[in-house]
Amino acid sequence: MVSTSAPGSAPGLDAAAGLDLQASFETLLQGAGLSAGTAHLLWLPLPMLLVLVAAVIGVLVNVWLERKISAAVQQRIGPEYAGALGVLQPLADGLKLLFKEDIIPARADGLLFTLGPVLVLIPVILSWLVVPFGQNLLISNVGVGIFLWISLSSIQPIGLLMSGYASNNKYSLLGGLRAAAQSISYEIPLALAVLAVVMMSNSLSTVDIVNQQSGAGILSWNIWRQPVGFVIFWICALAECERLPFDLPEAEEELVAGYQTEYAGMKFALFYLGSYINLVLSALLVSVLYLGGWGFPIPVEWLAGWLGQPIDAPAVQVITASVGVVMTVLKAYLLVFLAILLRWTTPRVRIDQLLDLGWKFLLPIALVNLLVTAGLKLAFPAFFGG
Amino acid sequence: MTIASTTQLICFAVLATTVVAGALGVVLLPNVVYAAFLLAGVFLSVAGLYLMLNASFVAAAQVLVYVGAVNVLILFAIMLVNKREDLAAIPGLALRRLVSGLVCGGLFVLLIRVAFTTPWGSGPEPVGEEATIRIGEHLFSDYLLPFELASVLLLMAMIGAIVLARRDVFSQDIATGEGVDQGLIEKARTPLLLDRSPR
């Protein structure tokens, strides 16, 4: 997760000033007699693996939370025998799916049937490329940052259509078509809400977006300047994740399970994994875009100043980096909690209501929000990004 | 050869092969659904090629517009009308295929000729991450007119689509003068069940 060589010099956690994990790792390996190229090659997969493991663990936590919170909402106890408080239940679920028979329906299109879930999962995992957990704690600070996530998430409907078509089942096809329609409709207000934030921070890079919110702690978070954008983004993110109240593609009363109807075993698990990774990712991006990312409610630079500690000292850097990771994850999981609570307390909307909400309400509101943001940016450049 | 250049070479080989094979598949496969999915693969590979040319913004836009919007709409249309029936036999199919093959071959030879005779300079330096800003500046200065024309074109297409989709608003029933919509169909003039109650 700890990448370095981020472009631009940032105050505080700059790589050149304090710890540089990549450089120290490579010098360690070179000390062991490896060439510089080999050391670099050995370093490269480490951040990616770490983020992949973090994403999967995030899903396990998410599944456990979903089971426990739904139980609490319905006044049940939920899983309690697999580990303390049932924490091992998600692992048991995963193992069960792993050992299930992999069935491909007789008249289905085998190739597309297998390719569908893969195409759903890969873009979601790729999007973790741009999620920052700290100033230099991300895989790659690419310049197009948040735009990369938007474009990657638009690949997903193709996988859904593919699996819906290949299942050779009416419910699956309807589910796939609904998923594609929903995803296209909600992508536009989502992108417009992101655009308003990008306009304020003058950059598409996720790191720059967080840095722009780090001036005065909790008061400078984007949620105060973009309350409408925050709500639009959150609704659209829920719709993109196909969470209730927008889980029409898999509405069980109408479509059995939508595009997942014919899937079993590991292929079903890929859909399952994809949807939960996507939920965690969306929550992380909401916290990056609107809730100050890794920022503590009171800036850590101030705290270090009050305690009389130099911000560049290795020990202080380790502490601030850990605080950053904890804050990012905490904010994300608060949002996940909200999403789970919404799922178990709200009824599903109808498909026409869903499309009406997307096209006739969210899209105009998002456009007005963009216009107002542009106007405010011109009028008060000090508060809305110069 | 360094690791970076080897990786670049492998990536280029894979992407170029995918583009060529995928494009051939789009044209040659009889199954239109496969062709549409392969088209998505071709668009993605082209985005990969843009990425290799240091044009990350263009690559992301390519994925968003072509894969996320255009291709999904193509698939949507195919799946809404997909009827799993064989197409009617076209007379003189072999001749048509021969002629179109010749035309494509001629075009290919022409392109090869152009590619080998053009003096390819080293071109301008890639600007990398600055590209997004540069594209924006160009769109609002010297490319303003094409940009606005494109948006007018899209607006016209959108209005046309609305006119086609909402015929009910624009057309009337000849007999009654009411709008032709779902309501008119539901208001059946003749009762479907005969009234057998005693009068």
Side-chain angles (χ1 to χ4, degrees):
Chain A
M1 202 187 312
V2 184
S3 165
T4 47
S5 65
S9 67
L13 292 169
D14 195 16
L19 286 176
D20 187 341
L21 285 189
Q22 179 179 4
S24 36
F25 180 84
E26 283 178 12
T27 26
L28 189 74
L29 280 188
Q30 282 171 39
L34 290 171
S35 71
T38 324
H40 188 61
L41 210 62
L42 282 175
W43 163 262
L44 277 179
L46 284 185
M48 304 180 201
L49 274 179
L50 206 58
V51 164
L52 199 60
V53 169
V56 173
I57 290 176
V59 168
L60 293 181
V61 175
N62 208 332
V63 173
W64 179 75
L65 277 178
E66 180 106 73
R67 283 170 166 277
K68 273 302 196 191
I69 294 170
S70 69
V73 167
Q74 298 168 346
Q75 305 195 338
R76 293 182 285 114
I77 295 174
E80 64 169 342
Y81 292 112
L85 291 173
V87 282
L88 294 180
Q89 190 63 43
L91 270 182
D93 287 354
L95 272 181
K96 185 194 79 171
L97 286 172
L98 201 60
F99 286 115
K100 281 224 171 182
E101 187 187 352
D102 185 23
I103 302 169
I104 296 180
R107 300 280 302 277
D109 190 322
L111 180 68
L112 294 186
F113 191 78
T114 314
L115 211 56
V118 179
L119 263 186
V120 173
L121 187 62
I122 287 180
V124 181
I125 291 182
L126 270 183
S127 306
W128 280 71
L129 204 66
V130 296
V131 177
F133 293 91
Q135 179 66 45
N136 293 316
L137 296 172
L138 80 167
I139 298 182
S140 169
N141 183 10
V142 283
V144 288
I146 198 79
F147 188 49
L148 183 74
W149 169 64
I150 292 176
S151 66
L152 279 175
S153 71
S154 72
I155 300 178
Q156 225 186 352
I158 290 201
L160 300 177
L161 276 174
M162 195 181 265
S163 44
Y165 169 79
S167 302
N168 193 21
N169 178 327
K170 288 190 192 72
Y171 296 125
S172 299
L173 185 59
L174 276 176
L177 288 176
R178 275 190 182 185
Q182 177 170 334
S183 168
I184 291 179
S185 319
Y186 279 79
E187 206 159 78
I188 299 165
L190 183 93
L192 287 175
V194 171
L195 192 58
V197 172
V198 167
M199 211 152 72
M200 293 197 326
S201 56
N202 295 321
S203 169
L204 288 162
S205 153
T206 43
V207 174
D208 291 349
I209 290 174
V210 175
N211 277 334
Q212 180 257 342
Q213 305 174 54
S214 63
I218 192 166
L219 289 178
S220 57
W221 291 357
N222 269 341
I223 186 168
W224 311 122
R225 286 177 281 186
Q226 286 284 328
V228 182
F230 171 74
V231 174
I232 295 170
F233 188 91
W234 182 238
I235 293 176
C236 294
L238 283 182
E240 294 271 317
C241 295
E242 286 151 19
R243 299 282 300 181
L244 237 124
F246 306 111
D247 72 334
L248 287 147
E250 47 210 89
E252 56 265 26
E253 293 90 348
E254 307 161 28
L255 294 179
V256 189
Y259 53 83
Q260 312 172 349
T261 307
E262 298 287 348
Y263 281 87
M266 208 50 214
K267 293 199 185 94
F268 173 75
L270 288 185
F271 278 129
Y272 199 70
L273 203 63
S275 79
Y276 276 109
I277 294 184
N278 205 0
L279 179 64
V280 179
L281 177 75
S282 300
L284 279 170
L285 284 171
V286 172
S287 73
V288 164
L289 288 173
Y290 294 100
L291 300 177
W294 64 81
F296 197 67
I298 306 160
V300 280
E301 287 82 11
W302 296 5
L303 284 177
W306 293 336
L307 294 173
Q309 299 291 329
I311 194 74
D312 291 342
V316 178
Q317 280 217 323
V318 168
I319 292 171
T320 49
S322 333
V323 167
V325 173
V326 168
M327 282 318 289
T328 316
V329 174
L330 190 71
K331 286 167 190 169
Y333 271 91
L334 275 176
L335 290 161
V336 167
F337 171 73
L338 194 65
I340 294 174
L341 209 59
L342 274 174
R343 170 168 179 182
W344 295 98
T345 47
T346 50
R348 180 181 302 128
V349 297
R350 282 199 320 264
I351 185 81
D352 60 321
Q353 291 171 335
L354 174 99
L355 293 179
D356 273 1
L357 178 72
W359 288 106
K360 293 187 188 165
F361 182 73
L362 288 182
L363 180 60
I365 296 274
L367 283 170
V368 169
N369 181 46
L370 191 63
L371 185 70
V372 169
T373 309
L376 286 174
K377 183 179 155 120
L378 286 179
F380 308 103
F383 294 105
F384 289 89
Chain B
M1 199 182 255
T2 61
I3 297 164
S5 64
T6 317
T7 321
Q8 209 168 5
L9 200 66
I10 293 171
C11 286
F12 177 74
V14 170
L15 288 173
T17 319
T18 329
V19 169
V20 173
L24 284 176
V26 172
V27 183
L28 297 179
L29 280 183
N31 187 338
V32 69
V33 177
Y34 275 25
F37 282 128
L38 272 178
L39 189 63
V42 172
F43 285 150
L44 278 178
S45 312
V46 172
L49 286 177
Y50 288 151
L51 211 55
M52 287 188 59
L53 293 171
N54 263 341
S56 49
F57 183 81
V58 182
Q62 160 94 5
V63 172
L64 182 69
V65 174
Y66 283 97
V67 182
V70 173
N71 203 264
V72 169
L73 283 181
I74 291 176
L75 281 168
F76 215 82
I78 289 173
M79 286 183 184
L80 281 179
V81 297
N82 190 22
K83 272 192 181 170
R84 300 215 180 189
E85 60 185 22
D86 292 330
L87 296 173
I90 306 165
L93 192 61
L95 184 68
R96 286 173 190 228
R97 280 189 175 154
L98 187 71
V99 170
S100 52
L102 281 178
V103 170
C104 293
L107 199 60
F108 184 66
V109 169
L110 190 70
L111 283 176
I112 292 274
R113 169 100 184 117
V114 169
F116 279 109
T117 49
T118 310
W120 297 104
S122 57
E125 280 290 305
V127 283
E129 305 290 9
E130 292 290 304
T132 318
I133 299 165
R134 292 275 282 275
I135 290 171
E137 281 169 356
H138 279 302
L139 282 185
F140 282 99
S141 56
D142 43 351
Y143 285 93
L144 186 63
L145 186 65
F147 180 69
E148 293 295 333
L149 282 180
S151 64
V152 169
L153 180 73
L154 287 177
L155 184 68
M156 277 155 60
M158 206 154 74
I159 293 172
I162 292 170
V163 168
L164 285 178
R166 299 298 306 272
R167 288 219 184 119
D168 51 334
V169 181
F170 303 103
S171 54
Q172 287 180 335
D173 186 32
I174 300 167
T176 57
E178 290 175 57
V180 180
D181 57 357
Q182 195 64 31
L184 190 71
I185 300 164
E186 282 163 7
K187 273 186 282 174
R189 288 286 176 274
T190 50
L192 295 173
L193 293 174
L194 289 177
D195 189 8
R196 289 183 185 280
S197 57
R199 287 167 200 268

